[in-house]
Short mmCIF file of all heavy atoms in Angstrom, two decimals:
data_model
loop_
_atom_site.label_atom_id
_atom_site.label_comp_id
_atom_site.label_asym_id
_atom_site.label_seq_id
_atom_site.Cartn_x
_atom_site.Cartn_y
_atom_site.Cartn_z
N MET Y 1 4.76 -6.14 15.21
CA MET Y 1 3.48 -5.80 14.68
C MET Y 1 3.06 -6.72 13.52
O MET Y 1 3.93 -7.12 12.73
CB MET Y 1 3.56 -4.32 14.12
CG MET Y 1 2.53 -3.92 13.16
SD MET Y 1 2.63 -2.23 12.63
CE MET Y 1 0.93 -2.01 12.15
N SER Y 2 1.81 -7.12 13.50
CA SER Y 2 1.31 -7.90 12.41
C SER Y 2 0.27 -7.09 11.64
O SER Y 2 -0.82 -6.83 12.22
CB SER Y 2 0.77 -9.20 12.98
OG SER Y 2 0.28 -10.01 11.90
N ILE Y 3 0.50 -6.78 10.46
CA ILE Y 3 -0.41 -5.96 9.66
C ILE Y 3 -1.61 -6.72 9.26
O ILE Y 3 -1.49 -7.78 8.62
CB ILE Y 3 0.33 -5.34 8.46
CG1 ILE Y 3 1.46 -4.39 8.94
CG2 ILE Y 3 -0.64 -4.53 7.60
CD1 ILE Y 3 2.29 -3.80 7.81
N LYS Y 4 -2.80 -6.25 9.60
CA LYS Y 4 -4.03 -6.93 9.27
C LYS Y 4 -4.85 -6.26 8.16
O LYS Y 4 -5.63 -6.90 7.53
CB LYS Y 4 -4.92 -6.95 10.50
CG LYS Y 4 -4.32 -7.63 11.74
CD LYS Y 4 -4.72 -9.07 11.73
CE LYS Y 4 -4.40 -9.79 13.06
NZ LYS Y 4 -3.00 -9.69 13.48
N ARG Y 5 -4.57 -4.96 8.01
CA ARG Y 5 -5.36 -4.21 7.03
C ARG Y 5 -4.49 -3.13 6.39
O ARG Y 5 -3.67 -2.50 7.03
CB ARG Y 5 -6.55 -3.56 7.76
CG ARG Y 5 -7.59 -2.94 6.87
CD ARG Y 5 -8.87 -2.68 7.60
NE ARG Y 5 -8.88 -1.36 8.33
CZ ARG Y 5 -9.35 -0.27 7.84
NH1 ARG Y 5 -9.89 -0.23 6.66
NH2 ARG Y 5 -9.34 0.82 8.62
N VAL Y 6 -4.66 -2.97 5.09
CA VAL Y 6 -3.89 -1.97 4.32
C VAL Y 6 -4.91 -1.26 3.43
O VAL Y 6 -5.76 -1.90 2.77
CB VAL Y 6 -2.83 -2.61 3.43
CG1 VAL Y 6 -2.03 -1.50 2.69
CG2 VAL Y 6 -1.85 -3.42 4.30
N TRP Y 7 -4.84 0.07 3.37
CA TRP Y 7 -5.75 0.78 2.40
C TRP Y 7 -5.06 2.04 1.96
O TRP Y 7 -4.09 2.49 2.52
CB TRP Y 7 -7.05 1.08 3.13
CG TRP Y 7 -7.06 2.06 4.27
CD1 TRP Y 7 -7.42 3.40 4.21
CD2 TRP Y 7 -6.71 1.80 5.63
NE1 TRP Y 7 -7.30 3.96 5.40
CE2 TRP Y 7 -6.85 3.05 6.32
CE3 TRP Y 7 -6.22 0.72 6.35
CZ2 TRP Y 7 -6.59 3.17 7.68
CZ3 TRP Y 7 -6.00 0.81 7.70
CH2 TRP Y 7 -6.14 2.02 8.36
N VAL Y 8 -5.62 2.59 0.91
CA VAL Y 8 -5.10 3.86 0.30
C VAL Y 8 -6.20 4.89 0.42
O VAL Y 8 -7.31 4.67 -0.13
CB VAL Y 8 -4.66 3.63 -1.17
CG1 VAL Y 8 -4.20 4.92 -1.76
CG2 VAL Y 8 -3.62 2.55 -1.29
N GLU Y 9 -5.89 6.01 1.09
CA GLU Y 9 -6.90 7.03 1.22
C GLU Y 9 -6.93 7.88 -0.06
O GLU Y 9 -6.19 7.67 -0.99
CB GLU Y 9 -6.54 7.95 2.43
CG GLU Y 9 -6.63 7.12 3.71
CD GLU Y 9 -6.48 8.00 4.94
OE1 GLU Y 9 -5.82 9.07 4.86
OE2 GLU Y 9 -7.08 7.62 5.98
N ASP Y 10 -7.89 8.80 -0.08
CA ASP Y 10 -8.11 9.65 -1.24
C ASP Y 10 -6.81 10.48 -1.49
O ASP Y 10 -6.00 10.61 -0.61
CB ASP Y 10 -9.28 10.57 -1.00
CG ASP Y 10 -10.57 9.87 -0.91
OD1 ASP Y 10 -10.66 8.71 -1.32
OD2 ASP Y 10 -11.56 10.49 -0.43
N ASP Y 11 -6.70 10.99 -2.72
CA ASP Y 11 -5.63 11.89 -3.10
C ASP Y 11 -4.32 11.22 -3.53
O ASP Y 11 -3.30 11.84 -3.62
CB ASP Y 11 -5.33 12.90 -1.98
CG ASP Y 11 -6.51 13.74 -1.62
OD1 ASP Y 11 -7.34 14.04 -2.51
OD2 ASP Y 11 -6.69 14.11 -0.44
N CYS Y 12 -4.35 9.94 -3.81
CA CYS Y 12 -3.25 9.29 -4.50
C CYS Y 12 -2.97 10.00 -5.80
O CYS Y 12 -3.89 10.30 -6.53
CB CYS Y 12 -3.61 7.80 -4.77
SG CYS Y 12 -2.53 7.00 -5.94
N ILE Y 13 -1.70 10.31 -6.07
CA ILE Y 13 -1.39 11.01 -7.32
C ILE Y 13 -0.77 10.07 -8.38
O ILE Y 13 -0.21 10.49 -9.34
CB ILE Y 13 -0.36 12.16 -7.02
CG1 ILE Y 13 0.92 11.60 -6.37
CG2 ILE Y 13 -1.01 13.22 -6.15
CD1 ILE Y 13 2.04 12.70 -6.24
N SER Y 14 -0.93 8.76 -8.14
CA SER Y 14 -0.58 7.76 -9.14
C SER Y 14 0.89 7.82 -9.54
O SER Y 14 1.20 7.58 -10.74
CB SER Y 14 -1.50 7.86 -10.38
OG SER Y 14 -2.83 7.84 -9.99
N CYS Y 15 1.78 8.05 -8.59
CA CYS Y 15 3.18 8.19 -8.91
C CYS Y 15 3.83 6.81 -9.21
O CYS Y 15 4.85 6.75 -9.88
CB CYS Y 15 3.92 8.87 -7.79
SG CYS Y 15 4.12 7.80 -6.31
N GLY Y 16 3.24 5.75 -8.70
CA GLY Y 16 3.77 4.42 -8.96
C GLY Y 16 4.83 3.90 -7.96
O GLY Y 16 5.28 2.71 -8.05
N SER Y 17 5.16 4.74 -6.99
CA SER Y 17 6.19 4.35 -6.06
C SER Y 17 5.84 3.08 -5.28
O SER Y 17 6.66 2.18 -5.10
CB SER Y 17 6.46 5.52 -5.11
OG SER Y 17 7.33 5.11 -4.08
N CYS Y 18 4.64 3.03 -4.75
CA CYS Y 18 4.27 1.86 -3.94
C CYS Y 18 4.32 0.58 -4.72
O CYS Y 18 4.77 -0.46 -4.19
CB CYS Y 18 2.85 2.10 -3.36
SG CYS Y 18 1.56 2.42 -4.53
N GLU Y 19 3.90 0.61 -5.98
CA GLU Y 19 3.92 -0.60 -6.82
C GLU Y 19 5.39 -0.98 -7.06
O GLU Y 19 5.72 -2.23 -7.08
CB GLU Y 19 3.17 -0.42 -8.11
CG GLU Y 19 3.09 -1.64 -8.93
CD GLU Y 19 2.30 -1.40 -10.20
OE1 GLU Y 19 1.14 -1.01 -10.11
OE2 GLU Y 19 2.82 -1.74 -11.30
N SER Y 20 6.25 -0.02 -7.25
CA SER Y 20 7.69 -0.34 -7.47
C SER Y 20 8.30 -0.94 -6.26
O SER Y 20 9.05 -1.95 -6.33
CB SER Y 20 8.47 0.94 -7.82
OG SER Y 20 8.00 1.49 -8.99
N ILE Y 21 7.89 -0.44 -5.08
CA ILE Y 21 8.56 -0.92 -3.82
C ILE Y 21 7.95 -2.26 -3.43
O ILE Y 21 8.65 -3.18 -2.99
CB ILE Y 21 8.30 0.09 -2.69
CG1 ILE Y 21 9.12 1.35 -2.99
CG2 ILE Y 21 8.69 -0.46 -1.34
CD1 ILE Y 21 8.84 2.56 -2.08
N CYS Y 22 6.64 -2.49 -3.55
CA CYS Y 22 5.99 -3.67 -3.04
C CYS Y 22 4.89 -4.10 -4.00
O CYS Y 22 3.68 -3.98 -3.70
CB CYS Y 22 5.42 -3.39 -1.63
SG CYS Y 22 4.88 -4.88 -0.80
N PRO Y 23 5.26 -4.64 -5.14
CA PRO Y 23 4.26 -5.02 -6.12
C PRO Y 23 3.39 -6.20 -5.74
O PRO Y 23 2.36 -6.44 -6.32
CB PRO Y 23 5.08 -5.40 -7.36
CG PRO Y 23 6.43 -5.78 -6.80
CD PRO Y 23 6.61 -4.87 -5.64
N GLU Y 24 3.82 -6.91 -4.67
CA GLU Y 24 2.97 -7.99 -4.15
C GLU Y 24 1.69 -7.49 -3.53
O GLU Y 24 0.72 -8.22 -3.44
CB GLU Y 24 3.74 -8.82 -3.15
CG GLU Y 24 5.02 -9.49 -3.67
CD GLU Y 24 6.22 -8.57 -3.55
OE1 GLU Y 24 6.09 -7.37 -3.27
OE2 GLU Y 24 7.34 -9.10 -3.79
N VAL Y 25 1.70 -6.24 -3.08
CA VAL Y 25 0.59 -5.69 -2.37
C VAL Y 25 -0.13 -4.55 -3.16
O VAL Y 25 -1.35 -4.48 -3.16
CB VAL Y 25 1.01 -5.14 -0.97
CG1 VAL Y 25 -0.15 -4.45 -0.26
CG2 VAL Y 25 1.57 -6.27 -0.14
N PHE Y 26 0.64 -3.72 -3.80
CA PHE Y 26 0.06 -2.55 -4.43
C PHE Y 26 0.08 -2.65 -5.95
O PHE Y 26 1.04 -3.08 -6.54
CB PHE Y 26 0.78 -1.26 -4.06
CG PHE Y 26 0.81 -1.00 -2.56
CD1 PHE Y 26 1.89 -1.38 -1.80
CD2 PHE Y 26 -0.28 -0.44 -1.96
CE1 PHE Y 26 1.88 -1.20 -0.41
CE2 PHE Y 26 -0.31 -0.25 -0.58
CZ PHE Y 26 0.77 -0.63 0.20
N GLU Y 27 -1.01 -2.17 -6.54
CA GLU Y 27 -1.13 -2.19 -8.00
C GLU Y 27 -1.76 -0.84 -8.39
O GLU Y 27 -2.83 -0.47 -7.84
CB GLU Y 27 -2.06 -3.28 -8.41
CG GLU Y 27 -2.17 -3.51 -9.89
CD GLU Y 27 -2.92 -4.82 -10.19
OE1 GLU Y 27 -3.82 -5.22 -9.39
OE2 GLU Y 27 -2.62 -5.42 -11.21
N VAL Y 28 -1.09 -0.10 -9.27
CA VAL Y 28 -1.58 1.24 -9.66
C VAL Y 28 -2.35 1.07 -10.99
O VAL Y 28 -1.77 0.90 -12.07
CB VAL Y 28 -0.43 2.22 -9.81
CG1 VAL Y 28 -0.97 3.62 -10.21
CG2 VAL Y 28 0.32 2.38 -8.48
N ILE Y 29 -3.65 1.09 -10.85
CA ILE Y 29 -4.53 1.06 -12.02
C ILE Y 29 -5.36 2.36 -11.88
O ILE Y 29 -6.33 2.39 -11.09
CB ILE Y 29 -5.47 -0.15 -12.00
CG1 ILE Y 29 -4.66 -1.44 -11.91
CG2 ILE Y 29 -6.39 -0.16 -13.22
CD1 ILE Y 29 -5.52 -2.67 -11.76
N ASP Y 30 -4.94 3.37 -12.62
CA ASP Y 30 -5.63 4.72 -12.46
C ASP Y 30 -5.10 5.31 -11.12
O ASP Y 30 -4.43 6.32 -11.12
CB ASP Y 30 -7.13 4.52 -12.46
CG ASP Y 30 -7.86 5.85 -12.88
OD1 ASP Y 30 -7.08 6.71 -13.36
OD2 ASP Y 30 -9.04 5.93 -12.72
N ILE Y 31 -5.47 4.71 -10.00
CA ILE Y 31 -4.90 5.09 -8.71
C ILE Y 31 -4.46 3.75 -8.03
O ILE Y 31 -4.73 2.73 -8.49
CB ILE Y 31 -5.90 5.81 -7.80
CG1 ILE Y 31 -7.11 4.97 -7.51
CG2 ILE Y 31 -6.25 7.19 -8.35
CD1 ILE Y 31 -8.02 5.54 -6.43
N SER Y 32 -3.69 3.93 -6.95
CA SER Y 32 -3.18 2.75 -6.27
C SER Y 32 -4.29 1.96 -5.61
O SER Y 32 -5.18 2.52 -5.00
CB SER Y 32 -2.20 3.22 -5.17
OG SER Y 32 -1.69 2.09 -4.50
N GLN Y 33 -4.21 0.64 -5.80
CA GLN Y 33 -5.14 -0.26 -5.12
C GLN Y 33 -4.38 -1.33 -4.38
O GLN Y 33 -3.31 -1.74 -4.80
CB GLN Y 33 -6.01 -0.89 -6.23
CG GLN Y 33 -6.77 0.14 -7.07
CD GLN Y 33 -7.58 -0.46 -8.21
OE1 GLN Y 33 -7.80 -1.65 -8.23
NE2 GLN Y 33 -7.92 0.38 -9.16
N VAL Y 34 -4.98 -1.79 -3.34
CA VAL Y 34 -4.42 -2.91 -2.61
C VAL Y 34 -5.00 -4.20 -3.17
O VAL Y 34 -6.16 -4.32 -3.37
CB VAL Y 34 -4.79 -2.80 -1.07
CG1 VAL Y 34 -4.28 -4.01 -0.32
CG2 VAL Y 34 -4.24 -1.50 -0.51
N LYS Y 35 -4.05 -5.12 -3.50
CA LYS Y 35 -4.46 -6.37 -4.15
C LYS Y 35 -5.27 -7.21 -3.21
O LYS Y 35 -5.04 -7.18 -1.95
CB LYS Y 35 -3.28 -7.14 -4.60
CG LYS Y 35 -2.50 -6.50 -5.78
CD LYS Y 35 -1.39 -7.39 -6.21
CE LYS Y 35 -0.68 -6.83 -7.46
NZ LYS Y 35 0.43 -7.71 -7.92
N GLU Y 36 -6.23 -7.97 -3.74
CA GLU Y 36 -7.03 -8.80 -2.89
C GLU Y 36 -6.31 -10.15 -2.58
O GLU Y 36 -5.47 -10.60 -3.35
CB GLU Y 36 -8.39 -9.12 -3.60
CG GLU Y 36 -9.22 -7.88 -3.73
CD GLU Y 36 -10.61 -8.20 -4.21
OE1 GLU Y 36 -10.99 -9.36 -4.27
OE2 GLU Y 36 -11.36 -7.21 -4.53
N GLY Y 37 -6.66 -10.69 -1.45
CA GLY Y 37 -6.14 -12.00 -1.06
C GLY Y 37 -4.68 -12.02 -0.59
O GLY Y 37 -4.11 -13.12 -0.50
N VAL Y 38 -4.13 -10.86 -0.32
CA VAL Y 38 -2.74 -10.83 0.11
C VAL Y 38 -2.67 -11.07 1.62
O VAL Y 38 -3.47 -10.49 2.38
CB VAL Y 38 -2.08 -9.46 -0.21
CG1 VAL Y 38 -0.67 -9.41 0.31
CG2 VAL Y 38 -2.13 -9.20 -1.73
N VAL Y 39 -1.73 -11.86 2.03
CA VAL Y 39 -1.44 -12.04 3.45
C VAL Y 39 -0.43 -10.93 3.84
O VAL Y 39 0.77 -11.03 3.61
CB VAL Y 39 -0.86 -13.47 3.77
CG1 VAL Y 39 -0.52 -13.58 5.30
CG2 VAL Y 39 -1.83 -14.51 3.35
N PHE Y 40 -0.97 -9.84 4.41
CA PHE Y 40 -0.14 -8.66 4.67
C PHE Y 40 1.05 -8.93 5.58
O PHE Y 40 2.10 -8.34 5.39
CB PHE Y 40 -0.98 -7.55 5.24
CG PHE Y 40 -2.16 -7.12 4.30
CD1 PHE Y 40 -3.45 -7.03 4.77
CD2 PHE Y 40 -1.89 -6.80 2.96
CE1 PHE Y 40 -4.47 -6.70 3.98
CE2 PHE Y 40 -2.91 -6.39 2.17
CZ PHE Y 40 -4.22 -6.36 2.66
N ALA Y 41 0.87 -9.85 6.46
CA ALA Y 41 1.95 -10.17 7.41
C ALA Y 41 3.20 -10.66 6.69
O ALA Y 41 4.30 -10.54 7.22
CB ALA Y 41 1.46 -11.23 8.41
N ASP Y 42 3.05 -11.18 5.49
CA ASP Y 42 4.21 -11.68 4.73
C ASP Y 42 4.99 -10.55 4.02
O ASP Y 42 6.08 -10.76 3.53
CB ASP Y 42 3.71 -12.62 3.66
CG ASP Y 42 3.23 -13.95 4.18
OD1 ASP Y 42 3.43 -14.19 5.38
OD2 ASP Y 42 2.57 -14.67 3.47
N PHE Y 43 4.44 -9.34 4.06
CA PHE Y 43 5.08 -8.24 3.31
C PHE Y 43 5.16 -6.95 4.14
O PHE Y 43 5.07 -5.88 3.61
CB PHE Y 43 4.28 -7.95 2.01
CG PHE Y 43 4.13 -9.18 1.12
CD1 PHE Y 43 2.98 -9.88 1.04
CD2 PHE Y 43 5.24 -9.59 0.38
CE1 PHE Y 43 2.85 -11.00 0.21
CE2 PHE Y 43 5.13 -10.70 -0.46
CZ PHE Y 43 3.93 -11.42 -0.52
N GLU Y 44 5.39 -7.13 5.41
CA GLU Y 44 5.32 -5.98 6.30
C GLU Y 44 6.44 -4.92 5.96
O GLU Y 44 6.21 -3.77 6.02
CB GLU Y 44 5.44 -6.40 7.74
CG GLU Y 44 4.20 -7.22 8.10
CD GLU Y 44 3.99 -7.38 9.60
OE1 GLU Y 44 5.01 -7.27 10.33
OE2 GLU Y 44 2.89 -7.63 9.99
N ALA Y 45 7.64 -5.44 5.65
CA ALA Y 45 8.68 -4.46 5.34
C ALA Y 45 8.36 -3.66 4.13
O ALA Y 45 8.59 -2.47 4.07
CB ALA Y 45 10.03 -5.20 5.12
N GLY Y 46 7.81 -4.31 3.08
CA GLY Y 46 7.46 -3.62 1.81
C GLY Y 46 6.31 -2.62 2.06
O GLY Y 46 6.30 -1.54 1.51
N ILE Y 47 5.31 -3.04 2.87
CA ILE Y 47 4.18 -2.17 3.14
C ILE Y 47 4.63 -0.89 3.87
O ILE Y 47 4.25 0.22 3.49
CB ILE Y 47 3.08 -2.90 3.93
CG1 ILE Y 47 2.50 -3.99 3.07
CG2 ILE Y 47 2.01 -1.97 4.40
CD1 ILE Y 47 1.62 -5.02 3.82
N THR Y 48 5.42 -1.06 4.92
CA THR Y 48 5.85 0.06 5.71
C THR Y 48 6.81 0.96 4.83
O THR Y 48 6.72 2.19 4.92
CB THR Y 48 6.57 -0.31 7.01
OG1 THR Y 48 7.63 -1.24 6.69
CG2 THR Y 48 5.55 -1.00 7.92
N ASP Y 49 7.65 0.35 4.02
CA ASP Y 49 8.51 1.06 3.15
C ASP Y 49 7.70 1.90 2.13
O ASP Y 49 7.96 3.05 1.86
CB ASP Y 49 9.41 0.09 2.43
CG ASP Y 49 10.73 0.72 2.06
OD1 ASP Y 49 11.16 1.77 2.68
OD2 ASP Y 49 11.38 0.18 1.14
N ALA Y 50 6.68 1.28 1.56
CA ALA Y 50 5.86 1.97 0.55
C ALA Y 50 5.13 3.12 1.25
O ALA Y 50 5.05 4.24 0.67
CB ALA Y 50 4.87 1.00 -0.03
N ALA Y 51 4.59 2.89 2.45
CA ALA Y 51 3.92 4.01 3.17
C ALA Y 51 4.87 5.15 3.48
O ALA Y 51 4.53 6.33 3.29
CB ALA Y 51 3.29 3.46 4.45
N ASP Y 52 6.06 4.75 3.88
CA ASP Y 52 7.06 5.85 4.28
C ASP Y 52 7.43 6.68 3.02
O ASP Y 52 7.80 7.83 3.18
CB ASP Y 52 8.34 5.24 4.84
CG ASP Y 52 8.15 4.71 6.24
OD1 ASP Y 52 7.11 5.08 6.87
OD2 ASP Y 52 8.98 3.94 6.71
N ASN Y 53 7.39 6.05 1.86
CA ASN Y 53 7.86 6.68 0.67
C ASN Y 53 6.76 7.28 -0.22
O ASN Y 53 7.01 7.88 -1.29
CB ASN Y 53 8.71 5.72 -0.19
CG ASN Y 53 10.09 5.54 0.41
OD1 ASN Y 53 10.94 6.39 0.29
ND2 ASN Y 53 10.28 4.41 1.07
N CYS Y 54 5.49 7.14 0.21
CA CYS Y 54 4.43 7.73 -0.57
C CYS Y 54 4.54 9.25 -0.43
O CYS Y 54 4.44 9.78 0.68
CB CYS Y 54 3.06 7.22 -0.01
SG CYS Y 54 1.66 8.04 -0.84
N PRO Y 55 4.59 9.97 -1.56
CA PRO Y 55 4.84 11.42 -1.45
C PRO Y 55 3.63 12.21 -0.87
O PRO Y 55 3.84 13.36 -0.41
CB PRO Y 55 5.08 11.83 -2.92
CG PRO Y 55 4.46 10.74 -3.74
CD PRO Y 55 4.59 9.48 -2.92
N VAL Y 56 2.48 11.58 -0.86
CA VAL Y 56 1.28 12.29 -0.32
C VAL Y 56 0.76 11.56 0.94
O VAL Y 56 -0.34 11.88 1.38
CB VAL Y 56 0.21 12.50 -1.37
CG1 VAL Y 56 0.64 13.60 -2.37
CG2 VAL Y 56 -0.13 11.23 -2.14
N SER Y 57 1.48 10.59 1.42
CA SER Y 57 1.15 9.90 2.70
C SER Y 57 -0.30 9.40 2.76
O SER Y 57 -1.00 9.60 3.73
CB SER Y 57 1.40 10.86 3.87
OG SER Y 57 2.73 11.30 3.85
N VAL Y 58 -0.72 8.71 1.75
CA VAL Y 58 -2.09 8.15 1.71
C VAL Y 58 -2.16 6.68 1.95
O VAL Y 58 -3.22 6.09 2.00
CB VAL Y 58 -2.85 8.53 0.46
CG1 VAL Y 58 -3.07 10.08 0.38
CG2 VAL Y 58 -2.11 8.05 -0.80
N ILE Y 59 -0.98 5.99 2.10
CA ILE Y 59 -1.00 4.61 2.41
C ILE Y 59 -1.10 4.38 3.87
O ILE Y 59 -0.29 4.88 4.66
CB ILE Y 59 0.26 3.91 1.89
CG1 ILE Y 59 0.28 4.01 0.34
CG2 ILE Y 59 0.32 2.43 2.29
CD1 ILE Y 59 1.57 3.52 -0.26
N LYS Y 60 -2.14 3.67 4.32
CA LYS Y 60 -2.39 3.42 5.74
C LYS Y 60 -2.44 1.93 6.03
O LYS Y 60 -2.78 1.15 5.15
CB LYS Y 60 -3.69 4.05 6.16
CG LYS Y 60 -3.85 5.52 5.79
CD LYS Y 60 -2.85 6.39 6.56
CE LYS Y 60 -3.05 7.87 6.12
NZ LYS Y 60 -1.99 8.71 6.72
N PHE Y 61 -2.05 1.58 7.20
CA PHE Y 61 -2.15 0.13 7.62
C PHE Y 61 -2.34 0.06 9.11
O PHE Y 61 -2.02 1.00 9.83
CB PHE Y 61 -0.87 -0.62 7.17
CG PHE Y 61 0.39 -0.03 7.70
CD1 PHE Y 61 0.86 -0.47 8.91
CD2 PHE Y 61 1.12 0.90 6.94
CE1 PHE Y 61 2.05 0.07 9.44
CE2 PHE Y 61 2.34 1.41 7.47
CZ PHE Y 61 2.81 0.99 8.68
N GLU Y 62 -2.83 -1.12 9.53
CA GLU Y 62 -2.99 -1.31 10.96
C GLU Y 62 -2.83 -2.79 11.24
O GLU Y 62 -2.94 -3.64 10.37
CB GLU Y 62 -4.31 -0.80 11.48
CG GLU Y 62 -5.52 -1.50 10.87
CD GLU Y 62 -6.82 -0.85 11.31
OE1 GLU Y 62 -6.82 0.24 11.93
OE2 GLU Y 62 -7.87 -1.48 11.08
S1 SF4 T 101 3.04 5.94 -3.57
FE1 SF4 T 101 1.24 7.03 -2.85
S2 SF4 T 101 0.81 8.55 -4.43
FE2 SF4 T 101 2.19 7.06 -5.35
S3 SF4 T 101 0.86 5.57 -6.37
FE3 SF4 T 101 1.28 4.81 -4.31
S4 SF4 T 101 -0.45 5.58 -3.00
FE4 SF4 T 101 -0.41 6.72 -4.92
#
């Protein structure tokens, strides 16, 4: 799989887990945001790991 798009749906609780797991892609400023200009294919393990560990399952990718 090659990840082309990553986004965070509503209801992020700002726990910081995604930024801890994959700071190259996620940045928690108030709520989690996906950094601009990232080549997602380079960080697929981190993205899937962050999504699996989000306590409210709001990290999505395709
Ligand atoms: S892991 Fe989920 S709830 Fe926690 S900051 Fe990231 S998107 Fe928000």
